[in-house]
Amino acid sequence: MNCEHFGICGGCTNIQDYSTQLQTKHNLTLQEFQSFLDTKSKNFQYPTNPLAIEVFASPQEGFRARAEFRFSHTFQNKSGLDFAMNAFGYNHRVPIKKCPILLPTLQDIMPLLLHYLNTYDLLNHKLYACNLLSSLQNEVIITLVYHKSLDSHWESLALKIQKELEYTLNTNIHIIGRSKNHKHILSNDIICEHLTLFANTPKERTYTFFKQESRFCQPNPFINTQMLEFIVSALSSIYTPQTPCDMLELYCGSGNFTIPLASIFRHIFATEVVKSAITLLQKNMAKNNIENIIPARLNAFESIQALRKECVFFRLKNIDLDAFAFDCVLIDPPRSGVGEEEVLYFLQNFNTIIYVSCNPHTLLNDLRILSQSHYVMQFGLFDQFPHTYHRECIVILRKSNKIL
């Protein structure tokens, strides 16, 4: 990657050439998960042995749709600001002029935004951080985080800068100011992302997703598209319109996986503990004209309690849990993984398990229990964060069919 800060900025920690990075990640994953890929030793009725890990590469530059920057004073002018990141291997900040891993629109915004911040004291006074969020359609949210209260004078000036940036870049831009316990939205805190799956094939379909400031969303839309295609293809090979069954999704968020999978299942019972994420999921459902997703605000343990009839939740008063015929479960846990044996043993009740993992180490631990009842049907390694050591994995597991 051609970046003047490469090896200096701590945002990119893997400075090997990209093909070497990808091969190293592949080799390490093969080594760690070898026992789960060796289907023959488990006597399962599955044709491939050992199972191959499918590797999905990212663009090397211009792939990241969000960024979080701090600020440092410029060396030439102590009253001016530079974007800053933690230094590579050190606990101090280094100034950043550009960031080639960001989507091109965000790269274009950085110098212009910095010019305005350094021009107006009202904008840079007690400015702590800047967060950027973009869609592939070049709609951008700029969040400026302050250690001071923001007033109408700040809002007027920020609105002026927003309009000037929009005019200069021919891009829809929304500036948000954050201070303690306050959020100042000048125009909008939600943008639209259009993702096309299976482009230029008979299966091509475009989905619209709302992305909200401060809410989690997939940072690499190119890898996200491949993740969605991987799961949709795997499940389409298992389930057909003639198999009317339902799916349970735990940690559904705002519906990144839920929305494309709705066409495969009769119903999806999608649970998520964050209320604002459920609200965004409902917006995504309406935008994509989907009516067979039933969202509920529950955490993983509450979902299990409800489905086992161990606890009655007022939040489910209008949902008939007995009407579901679950065959598949999708789980996308945090970096800590599932961990709890009670949840893992509950997952064993489903014929198909889709496990989306952002941490191979916790995935490895959870598979030790899930592999007691299921075998790995497909394993995908997704390079969500090039130039780092991060690995994103998706494992499709099927209930064991042992030969008697």
Side-chain angles (χ1 to χ4, degrees):
M1 180 175 65
N2 183 21
C3 176
E4 64 185 86
H5 309 296
F6 205 45
I8 301 171
C9 165
C12 294
T13 55
N14 191 335
I15 58 176
Q16 298 174 306
D17 67 89
Y18 187 62
S19 60
T20 302
Q21 291 180 38
L22 210 57
Q23 188 61 55
T24 301
K25 292 179 181 181
H26 184 208
N27 292 342
L28 180 59
T29 307
L30 275 173
Q31 178 183 342
E32 291 174 340
F33 291 90
Q34 183 177 10
S35 62
F36 300 106
L37 303 174
D38 186 4
T39 57
K40 184 177 180 180
S41 65
K42 294 178 174 57
N43 206 29
F44 293 149
Q45 291 178 329
Y46 195 71
T48 304
N49 180 65
L51 184 68
I53 292 179
E54 300 175 61
V55 181
F56 298 86
S58 168
Q60 298 182 43
E61 299 184 11
F63 59 83
R64 190 172 171 90
R66 68 179 199 225
E68 298 178 2
F69 293 109
R70 298 295 184 265
F71 291 96
S72 68
H73 289 288
T74 60
F75 296 119
Q76 294 82 10
N77 179 7
K78 294 299 182 181
S79 64
L81 294 177
D82 270 326
F83 293 111
M85 292 287 291
N86 286 337
F88 182 68
Y90 296 94
N91 189 25
H92 66 263
R93 294 177 186 170
V94 292
I96 299 297
K97 296 295 184 184
K98 61 179 182 178
C99 186
I101 67 173
L102 297 183
L103 292 178
T105 300
L106 296 183
Q107 295 185 49
D108 293 340
I109 283 175
M110 287 181 65
L112 291 173
L113 176 60
L114 195 62
H115 165 74
Y116 287 121
L117 293 178
N118 280 316
T119 299
Y120 298 100
D121 291 340
L122 183 59
L123 291 182
N124 65 50
H125 181 243
K126 292 190 176 182
L127 177 62
Y128 171 70
C130 174
N131 301 332
L132 303 175
L133 176 66
S134 178
S135 69
L136 288 174
Q137 289 68 45
N138 299 329
E139 191 174 9
V140 178
I141 293 177
I142 301 171
T143 304
L144 301 175
V145 185
Y146 290 87
H147 285 317
K148 68 175 182 179
S149 298
L150 303 179
D151 56 19
S152 59
H153 298 291
W154 178 91
E155 290 188 0
S156 297
L157 180 56
L159 186 59
K160 173 188 173 184
I161 302 308
Q162 176 178 292
K163 291 179 179 178
E164 290 184 6
L165 286 171
E166 285 186 324
Y167 177 79
T168 303
L169 298 171
N170 192 28
T171 299
N172 290 328
I173 293 177
H174 313 284
I175 291 180
I176 294 174
R178 280 193 172 273
S179 56
K180 187 176 181 181
N181 301 323
H182 291 283
K183 179 178 177 180
H184 300 257
I185 303 172
L186 302 184
S187 51
N188 208 340
D189 69 340
I190 293 177
I191 58 178
C192 272
E193 179 87 274
H194 305 294
L195 292 183
T196 299
L197 273 56
F198 307 107
N200 304 314
T201 74
K203 297 191 296 182
E204 179 176 318
R205 184 167 177 182
T206 299
Y207 297 92
T208 299
F209 297 91
F210 290 111
K211 300 165 70 171
Q212 188 171 27
E213 187 267 345
S214 78
R215 290 261 63 83
F216 173 80
C217 62
Q218 296 290 334
N220 186 330
F222 305 101
I223 285 293
N224 187 33
T225 298
Q226 295 182 82
M227 291 167 65
L228 295 174
E229 291 175 344
F230 178 80
I231 296 176
V232 170
S233 294
L235 294 182
S236 296
S237 70
I238 299 171
Y239 302 100
T240 69
Q242 289 72 42
T243 55
C245 58
D246 305 317
M247 185 183 92
L248 169 68
E249 183 175 2
L250 305 176
Y251 309 99
C252 71
S254 58
N256 180 68
F257 299 107
T258 330
I259 297 297
L261 294 179
S263 62
I264 296 176
F265 296 96
R266 186 181 61 175
H267 296 104
I268 297 180
F269 183 47
T271 67
E272 167 63 51
V273 70
V274 180
K275 187 176 182 180
S276 57
I278 289 292
T279 301
L280 204 58
L281 168 59
Q282 292 169 330
K283 290 179 181 291
N284 286 330
M285 290 166 54
K287 187 68 175 179
N288 292 277
N289 299 311
I290 293 173
E291 299 180 348
N292 64 329
I293 298 172
I294 296 88
R297 188 167 60 85
L298 301 169
N299 63 33
F301 280 107
E302 290 173 333
S303 301
I304 293 172
Q305 288 178 317
L307 292 170
R308 286 177 173 171
K309 305 296 180 62
E310 295 174 352
C311 187
V312 177
F313 294 90
F314 180 77
R315 285 164 277 172
L316 302 179
K317 64 176 181 177
N318 296 320
I319 299 176
D320 181 9
L321 296 179
D322 292 328
F324 290 103
F326 292 116
D327 195 84
C328 177
V329 60
L330 187 150
I331 187 164
D332 182 10
R335 285 190 59 80
S336 56
V338 176
E340 296 292 337
E341 290 190 0
E342 182 179 354
V343 178
L344 292 167
Y345 285 121
F346 172 78
L347 297 178
Q348 290 181 338
N349 295 315
F350 296 81
N351 285 324
T352 306
I353 302 171
I354 305 103
Y355 192 129
V356 182
S357 171
C358 59
N359 186 345
H361 303 297
T362 55
L363 171 62
L364 193 62
N365 290 331
D366 290 341
L367 280 181
R368 292 190 174 100
I369 290 180
L370 295 178
S371 63
Q372 296 172 8
S373 57
H374 289 66
Y375 67 91
V376 176
M377 174 183 167
Q378 286 182 251
F379 195 119
L381 173 62
F382 299 84
D383 199 19
Q384 182 90 259
F385 299 95
H387 317 300
T388 75
Y389 293 94
H390 179 95
R391 288 173 290 156
E392 192 98 4
C393 301
I394 297 179
V395 182
I396 311 292
L397 300 113
R398 285 285 285 169
K399 185 83 83 171
S400 302
N401 239 340
K402 292 190 177 182
I403 304 172
L404 300 177

